[in-house]
Amino acid sequence: MNEKLSFQQRLVTALMLFGLFFGAGNIIFPVFLGQNAASQVGPAVLGFNITAVGLPLLAIVAMGRSGAGTAMELAGRAGRGFAYFFTVALYLTIGPLFATPRLATVSYEVGLAGLLPAEVNPNLALFIYSLLFFAGVLTLSLKPSKIMDWVGKYLTPTFLFLLAIILIRSWLDPQSGHFFPVGSYQHNAFTTGLLEGYNTMDSLAGLAFGVIVIQTIRSFGIQEQNKIAREVLYSGSMTLILMALIYLFLALTGSHSLNYLPVASNGGRALSQITQYYFQTPGQILLTLMMVIACLKTAVGLVVALSETFSQLPLGISQKNWAIIASALSLLIANIGLEAIIQLSLPVLMFLYPLAIVLVFLTFLPASLQGQSLYQICLAVTGLAAFIDAVAASPTLIQGQTWAQALIAWGESWLPFFQQGFGWLLPAIFGLVLGVAYQSFHQA
């Protein structure tokens, strides 16, 4: 039995973890942030790194520290009902309903679509591409024991090499102008960056990927819980540093691009324009390769995580069949289009993220405070406030309902930071205090 991992083993684990996290959204969102934040890129990318890097690391460490082998075990501290609800909602969100189909759609629209002739039917092209994409995802997902080799040793280094080519070339040009931020970045760059970090879905994915990281560490011979938690922290910290630096460079590249490009309509368009500006058609081919690799490796991790978790549900469906179901459903949803996927996912993220954040932070409380009542009270209060945040972020069809307008008006009047998308924050703190008081009273 090993006492600790070697540096090479930690590095491979860190690269695997990075590869699982770093998908299409992780590339396009910071570039778009940089273009919009302009001179305020510093505080904006700091906020982005907190929710896109810091919280996912805490989620991974929480899994290792708590001794929970799965997200369901961790959520089970609030009761069996919440465990099933949260786990199913979590894996469907980062899986076949939103994140996984988005990986295929983004990699197609940002990369391959720019290479196709104008006469090609885009809907048919997307279907053929997504069919091939998820066929590849399913093939790799059916061999989960090989996931570390594929992601840690091959796909991630290839992706980093291709990304480095684009970043280095963009930084060879001197920056000459001073540009002003647009939209909410003008006055709330930091908090806007925080919310942009939600879009990566990595804090949710951290709870899902925790089981893969822990299994990888155990495969190296580390079995004791405290040592597993230590290795999770070491490998996770290496991942954090790499991700934070890449986010910074991508955001600065977006800001720097304002010297020769206008602000794009989205991050995918921005990255495509930057690449074509420097490399023309060969650049689009390079971008296509990079996006396909980035999305493929993350999709494999998501399908493996979902199939391993759902196979333990009392439904009698095997892990292999869950992988097939997840891939097929992702294929279908990918073809509704990127815009629809993002629009529908936003209110779900506004509801689930606060629950995930609170669940992670509660695991770091002293053992004397750990108890089901604390988890139930704190998560219930947080969930109610997060639901109002979710309604405010919903499509116009929902916001226009009378009950929705009443909830939004109440949130604007009574929830601090509601306008910034953090109406759940103070209720969560209140729920924590209330839960500790209730639990202490009943333990006395």
Side-chain angles (χ1 to χ4, degrees):
M1 184 181 297
N2 293 338
E3 292 294 319
K4 64 179 182 179
L5 299 184
S6 65
F7 175 78
Q8 182 179 4
Q9 290 171 330
R10 287 175 180 168
L11 180 61
V12 170
T13 304
L15 287 175
M16 181 202 71
L17 182 57
F18 170 84
L20 292 173
F21 273 130
F22 215 87
N26 305 73
I27 303 172
I28 64 176
F29 290 129
V31 173
F32 194 50
L33 175 149
Q35 282 199 332
N36 283 273
S39 60
Q40 292 296 310
V41 68
V45 78
L46 176 61
F48 186 88
N49 272 329
I50 289 175
T51 48
V53 178
L55 290 180
L57 176 63
L58 284 179
I60 291 289
V61 174
M63 291 291 293
R65 183 178 184 273
S66 66
T70 64
M72 179 172 286
E73 288 184 27
L74 188 65
R77 296 185 173 194
R80 186 177 181 181
F82 178 80
Y84 277 103
F85 161 75
F86 182 79
T87 301
V88 172
L90 169 71
Y91 280 93
L92 289 179
T93 298
I94 64 172
L97 293 187
F98 301 117
T100 309
R102 188 180 74 178
L103 290 165
T105 310
V106 169
S107 59
Y108 166 77
E109 293 193 3
V110 176
L112 187 62
L115 296 172
L116 297 176
E119 60 270 17
V120 173
N121 185 315
N123 294 329
L124 178 61
L126 173 60
F127 175 75
I128 294 174
Y129 170 79
S130 58
L131 180 63
L132 295 174
F133 180 90
F134 285 111
V137 168
L138 179 60
T139 300
L140 293 176
S141 300
L142 293 178
K143 299 179 180 179
S145 61
K146 299 294 184 181
I147 191 171
M148 187 185 68
D149 287 337
W150 281 103
V151 176
K153 293 183 178 180
Y154 305 118
L155 295 182
T156 298
T158 302
F159 160 74
L160 289 174
F161 174 74
L162 295 175
L163 180 61
I165 293 176
I166 295 176
L167 293 180
I168 291 173
R169 178 62 187 88
S170 70
W171 276 84
L172 292 178
D173 289 344
Q175 183 170 345
S176 57
H178 180 80
F179 303 94
F180 296 98
V182 297
S184 58
Y185 287 100
Q186 297 180 50
H187 306 292
N188 299 295
F190 177 74
T191 55
T192 303
L194 284 172
L195 289 176
E196 282 297 312
Y198 276 15
N199 287 321
T200 66
M201 302 191 194
D202 282 347
S203 291
L204 302 179
L207 295 173
F209 290 152
V211 60
I212 297 177
V213 177
I214 292 170
Q215 288 176 352
T216 299
I217 292 172
R218 284 176 174 163
S219 71
F220 286 127
I222 306 295
Q223 302 299 328
E224 293 185 21
Q225 194 58 50
N226 290 337
K227 294 176 181 177
I228 291 175
R230 179 193 64 194
E231 294 300 337
V232 168
L233 180 60
Y234 285 154
S235 298
S237 296
M238 295 170 71
T239 304
L240 180 149
I241 294 171
L242 180 60
M243 290 178 67
L245 287 175
I246 292 178
Y247 285 146
L248 175 61
F249 292 145
L250 284 170
L252 291 175
T253 297
S255 177
H256 180 80
S257 70
L258 296 175
N259 285 282
Y260 52 86
L261 291 172
V263 176
S265 58
N266 58 67
R269 176 74 63 179
L271 187 60
S272 179
Q273 290 175 348
I274 292 170
T275 306
Q276 290 192 42
Y277 176 82
Y278 288 116
F279 300 104
Q280 288 77 49
T281 299
Q284 191 65 36
I285 296 174
L286 175 68
L287 181 62
T288 300
L289 288 173
M290 187 180 73
M291 295 301 290
V292 170
I293 290 173
C295 294
L296 181 66
K297 59 185 175 52
T298 301
V300 170
L302 291 173
V303 171
V304 169
L306 180 143
S307 61
E308 288 185 347
T309 299
F310 277 26
S311 64
Q312 299 173 21
L313 298 177
L315 297 175
I317 301 177
S318 68
Q319 179 177 330
K320 177 181 178 180
N321 287 335
W322 273 121
I324 295 173
I325 292 171
S327 299
L329 184 57
S330 297
L331 168 64
L332 293 175
I333 294 180
N335 283 271
I336 71 173
L338 177 60
E339 184 177 344
I341 293 173
I342 293 177
Q343 184 181 35
L344 293 173
S345 68
L346 182 57
V348 177
L349 293 177
M350 294 296 286
F351 177 69
L352 279 184
Y353 247 87
L355 294 177
I357 292 170
V358 169
L359 182 62
V360 166
F361 271 92
L362 288 178
T363 64
F364 290 94
L365 293 178
S368 59
L369 294 178
Q370 297 289 329
Q372 190 176 86
S373 297
L374 170 63
Y375 278 79
Q376 290 177 339
I377 293 173
C378 192
L379 287 167
V381 175
T382 302
L384 289 173
F387 178 75
I388 303 176
D389 280 331
V391 172
S394 297
T396 306
L397 180 64
I398 295 178
Q399 286 192 35
Q401 302 297 316
T402 303
W403 63 268
Q405 293 178 346
L407 276 179
I408 294 172
W410 188 88
E412 291 174 341
S413 300
W414 295 101
L415 294 179
F417 313 117
F418 181 79
Q419 296 283 3
Q420 291 77 32
F422 294 96
W424 62 271
L425 187 56
L426 287 187
I429 296 174
F430 172 75
L432 173 62
V433 174
L434 184 63
V436 170
Y438 178 87
Q439 189 166 278
S440 300
F441 175 78
H442 282 268
Q443 288 176 347

